Amino acid sequence: MSNSTFDDTSEEIETEQSDVVRGIKIGLGATLYLASLWTIIAAQHGAFDGLSGALPAALALGSALMVIIISMLWLNTLNLTTGKDEPVAKSTKKARRALIWSCVLGLVIVVIFYTSLGSDLSEVELMSNGPIPAYLAILVSVIYAVGGVYVTVDWNANVDEHERAALYTGLYGSFMTYGIVTPIWWLGQRAALLPDQDPMIMYSLILTTFCALWTYRRGG
């Protein structure tokens, strides 16, 4: 057996090990992200009202900080920026710009939500199921629908085959997650084994599953 064969085998083993390690990191990051986000949702639903002292505030603040940190680390893996001397195709620039605009869209919605509900930010519960004014619901829904569709179509039109394959992996995995978790939760809810389904928990689960699988498949 030639040395080149040994080298090829060694490279394949290293690649497989690297993929496993990367998959574990992405999985742990996604799990920690969901745990932190769900802690915030639970806090806004009053789950920690019985706790004494500053513990409820510390849990909410620590979870919010963790969500921000993991989000920043994830964005860094997407390689949205390149060196000045590195050539980048026009379509790639457009695809990256679409991802950036999606982040801006989310930030705009959060700002509108908070500025519309009063000056006391501690009383604004973005992820609760509490009532909100009709105008705010309509405004945010229109911005989310129009902006989300535009960004998605623009991004999909400018990605290459590798990125599109990663997209399909994320879509398939997140759809399967929804198809399995939703009826199981529904049955458990009807049997009084599980609490009522929360739309924001389901939304965050599906979206995080998509992002994790997409990131792993694209090699980020």
Side-chain angles (χ1 to χ4, degrees), residues 12-118:
E12 290 178 0
I13 294 175
E14 290 179 358
T15 300
E16 291 177 357
Q17 292 176 342
S18 176
D19 287 342
V20 171
V21 171
R22 188 165 53 83
I24 292 174
K25 289 181 178 179
I26 293 174
L28 289 176
T31 301
L32 185 57
Y33 178 86
L34 284 175
S36 301
L37 190 59
W38 290 350
T39 299
I40 297 174
I41 295 175
Q44 294 191 352
H45 280 69
F48 305 135
D49 290 349
L51 300 179
S52 60
L55 185 56
L59 286 172
L61 182 60
S63 298
L65 183 60
M66 187 61 63
V67 167
I68 294 174
I69 292 174
I70 295 177
S71 297
M72 295 302 295
L73 291 174
W74 175 69
L75 289 174
N76 186 58
T77 67
L78 299 181
N79 298 322
L80 297 182
T81 59
T82 55
K84 295 181 178 180
D85 298 331
E86 183 177 345
V88 179
K90 187 176 181 179
S91 59
T92 301
K93 291 181 179 180
K94 290 182 178 180
R96 290 175 177 175
R97 186 166 61 242
L99 288 176
I100 294 174
W101 275 115
S102 68
C103 297
V104 173
L105 177 65
L107 180 61
V108 168
I109 290 176
V110 170
V111 171
I112 291 175
F113 199 96
Y114 273 83
T115 56
S116 300
L117 294 182

Side-chain angles (χ1 to χ4, degrees), residues 150-168:
Y150 174 79
V151 168
T152 301
V153 172
D154 184 45
W155 177 68
N156 188 61
N158 291 287
V159 295
D160 56 21
E161 292 77 7
H162 175 73
E163 191 76 61
R164 191 167 286 110
L167 168 66
Y168 292 154

